[in-house]
Amino acid sequence: MTSPHPVDTRPPWQRLLAFGIQHVLIMYTGCVTVPLVFGAAAGLDKATVALLISADLLVAGIITMVQSLGLGKFAGARLPIVTGATFVAMSPMILITKDYGLQAMYGSMLLGGVIGIALAWPFASIVRFFPPLVSGTVLTVVGISLIGVAGGLIVGPDPKASTFAAPSHIALAAAVLVVALVCTVLGRGVWSQLGVLIALVVGILIAVPMGLIKLDGVSKAAWFGTPHPFQFGAPHFPVTAVVAMTIVMLVVFAESTASMLAIGEITGKPLTRADLARGLAGDGLSAVLAGVLNSFVDTIFNQNVGAVANTRVYSRYVTAVSGAILVVLGLVPRFGALVAAVPQPVIGGVGLVLFATITVIGVDTLRKADLTDRVNLTLIAVSIGIGLVPVLTKGMFDKFPSSAQILLNSGISLAAATAFTLNLLFNHTRLGEIARGAGKPTAATPEPDITDAVPAA
């Protein structure tokens, strides 16, 4: 009798809970940032933003459980996946809200999700066009991009604030980083696997005497609450808004495909077309639920992909527990407020390790491409360069049409689109043969003998 794959094993409940909490702490800040930023941009009051956060956590928890455990043959990749609100949809959501209102924003999200579900299987059919050259490039850009996010958590969001880049905050993040490093590298067994959680706990303990733990919001938060379907009224479906949200879904599909391939690579579980299709259908389902429950489109959180690689705990039941915890946080706002009290420099400290891990996974994946081939080498270089442009040069595409900014302002999406297109052109058409032939010496121009240029001894 063959033993189950590590992805399908179920650890003891103590480890399930500990590792599940670890995943939630890693992704929580990124998850709730989307409703906070959107609420501020849309001019919503604090009470409404609080409702959006609860709905966001609830939908993220439901989709995380669907992706981890599966929903029959319909949805769920059945992988150790944690999902949360994606920033890819942020600009389109704000523009749609300003032009048409919240009813149109959530209506277009709902219909975009339905279209996404319909496109899941066709999109999964092109997975053969995501070889290591493409997936490795995307993962490398993802990791480098997220390192900047971790740095932002450490220094703070407002450059004008007196606490911005405070040496004490940087020292706190450094201490968390050192603890994570020591536990992960020198620890044994479960101590190594729980290195990130231990670092978070140590960081919280250090932050207490520093006055960085703010519990004001905990006492004000309600004990229990449920989101109301169509909180802002019956949905509207402007054609322009629906098209924009459909484009968002395709961009999310590209990101999720790269993330699922990375999870398959990390866990050693090859993915079938059906696995990918169900995973993408899960993304579409998140948009449908978000449109109904006033939440946001979810995607696979790459910081949690880094956690899977870092801890080497591959069980999908662990992330299913994370999903259950997120559901509880969504239904019990006071618990959510308690988790939100974890200082950002603490999250940023462990984030540096996890995000850099994704970069290393991307580099390792690229090693499986033929880097001795000058064409492949150039394709990778161009794709990484283009993907990092919007990350390192803020505002570069601000004067482009808003519809184009959906793709151009996302370095991950831009890298995926560039690598996918170039790989298609140079590795699946005659153009590649021509390009490679141009680099070979011909009979008329023999390759020079370098010994001719060496003087005799």
Side-chain angles (χ1 to χ4, degrees), residues 91-114:
S91 295
M93 287 192 306
I94 293 172
L95 292 171
I96 292 170
T97 301
K98 289 182 177 179
D99 291 344
Y100 301 104
L102 284 167
Q103 291 167 282
M105 194 276 283
Y106 281 116
S108 62
M109 186 181 294
L110 191 161
L111 193 52
V114 172

Side-chain angles (χ1 to χ4, degrees), residues 13-98:
W13 70 267
Q14 299 95 329
R15 292 195 177 193
L16 279 175
L17 184 60
F19 290 125
I21 292 173
Q22 180 172 259
H23 272 293
V24 170
L25 290 175
I26 289 168
M27 61 80 68
Y28 188 90
T29 299
C31 189
V32 301
T33 299
V34 171
L36 287 172
V37 173
F38 173 77
L44 303 178
D45 57 68
K46 291 184 178 180
T48 304
V49 172
L51 290 174
L52 295 184
I53 291 174
S54 294
D56 178 39
L57 294 171
L58 177 61
V59 172
I62 292 171
I63 299 302
T64 295
M65 288 193 290
V66 167
Q67 294 284 29
S68 300
L69 301 178
L71 191 61
K73 296 182 179 180
F74 170 61
R78 293 177 175 83
L79 292 169
I81 286 172
V82 176
T83 66
T86 175
F87 266 95
V88 169
M90 182 62 71
S91 295
M93 287 192 306
I94 293 172
L95 292 171
I96 292 170
T97 301
K98 289 182 177 179

Side-chain angles (χ1 to χ4, degrees), residues 130-145 258 358-359 361-367 369 371 376-388 411-420 422-423:
F130 281 84
L133 184 151
V134 177
S135 59
T137 296
V138 174
L139 288 171
T140 302
V141 172
V142 167
I144 295 174
S145 302
I358 297 172
T359 305
I361 294 169
V363 172
D364 186 58
T365 302
L366 286 174
R367 291 170 55 198
L371 298 184
N376 283 346
L377 192 64
T378 305
L379 302 189
I380 293 169
V382 170
S383 300
I384 291 177
I386 291 177
L388 290 178
I412 300 168
S413 304
L414 203 55
T418 304
F420 177 84
L422 292 177
N423 177 67

Side-chain angles (χ1 to χ4, degrees), residues 61-406:
I62 292 171
I63 299 302
T64 295
M65 288 193 290
V66 167
Q67 294 284 29
S68 300
L69 301 178
L71 191 61
K73 296 182 179 180
F74 170 61
R78 293 177 175 83
L79 292 169
I81 286 172
V82 176
T83 66
T86 175
F87 266 95
V88 169
M90 182 62 71
S91 295
M93 287 192 306
I94 293 172
L95 292 171
I96 292 170
T97 301
K98 289 182 177 179
D99 291 344
Y100 301 104
L102 284 167
Q103 291 167 282
M105 194 276 283
Y106 281 116
S108 62
M109 186 181 294
L110 191 161
L111 193 52
V114 172
I115 296 171
I117 291 173
L119 295 176
W121 277 89
F123 196 96
S125 299
I126 64 174
V127 67
R128 67 189 182 93
F129 298 117
F130 281 84
L133 184 151
V134 177
S135 59
T137 296
V138 174
L139 288 171
T140 302
V141 172
V142 167
I144 295 174
S145 302
L146 290 175
I147 288 173
V149 174
L153 291 172
I154 294 170
V155 301
D158 185 6
K160 297 180 181 178
S162 59
T163 56
F164 181 79
S168 59
H169 292 186
I170 297 173
L172 173 59
V176 170
L177 180 64
V178 170
V179 173
L181 174 67
V182 170
C183 290
T184 303
V185 175
L186 299 180
R188 293 292 181 269
V190 70
W191 295 106
S192 174
Q193 295 171 328
L194 286 175
V196 172
L197 181 58
I198 294 170
L200 287 168
V201 172
V202 171
I204 292 171
L205 294 176
I206 297 174
V208 171
M210 294 175 65
L212 296 179
I213 305 293
K214 308 294 183 183
L215 298 177
D216 300 343
V218 177
S219 59
K220 297 177 182 178
W223 274 109
F224 185 78
T226 56
H228 300 286
F230 303 117
Q231 173 84 23
F232 304 102
H236 296 168
F237 307 98
V239 175
T240 303
V242 172
V243 170
M245 277 299 170
T246 302
I247 294 173
V248 166
M249 286 308 309
L250 293 176
V251 174
V252 169
F253 277 8
E255 290 189 11
S256 291
T257 297
S259 298
M260 284 187 281
L261 291 174
I263 286 285
E265 188 79 24
I266 293 165
T267 61
K269 186 174 183 179
L271 303 185
T272 64
R273 179 192 173 198
D275 295 329
L276 287 170
R278 289 195 307 269
L280 298 176
D283 287 341
L285 180 61
S286 77
V288 173
L289 288 178
V292 175
L293 297 177
N294 324 295
S295 181
F296 305 92
V297 181
D298 283 343
T299 188
I300 298 169
F301 263 33
N302 283 299
Q303 49 262 57
N304 295 92
V305 174
V308 171
N310 191 266
T311 63
R312 303 176 301 284
V313 176
Y314 303 147
S315 172
R316 58 193 175 97
Y317 295 101
V318 167
T319 52
V321 169
S322 300
I325 294 171
L326 287 170
V327 169
V328 171
L329 293 178
L331 295 176
V332 186
R334 185 162 292 197
F335 285 169
L338 187 62
V339 176
V342 177
Q344 290 192 350
V346 175
I347 303 293
V350 298
L352 285 176
V353 181
L354 301 177
F355 300 157
T357 299
I358 297 172
T359 305
V360 174
I361 294 169
V363 172
D364 186 58
T365 302
L366 286 174
R367 291 170 55 198
K368 298 174 183 177
D370 183 7
L371 298 184
T372 61
D373 182 345
R374 66 180 182 84
V375 174
N376 283 346
L377 192 64
T378 305
L379 302 189
I380 293 169
V382 170
S383 300
I384 291 177
I386 291 177
L388 290 178
V389 163
V391 176
L392 302 177
T393 312
K394 299 297 183 183
M396 182 170 182
F397 300 112
D398 285 355
K399 294 184 179 180
F400 281 66
S402 56
S403 57
Q405 290 184 38
I406 296 173

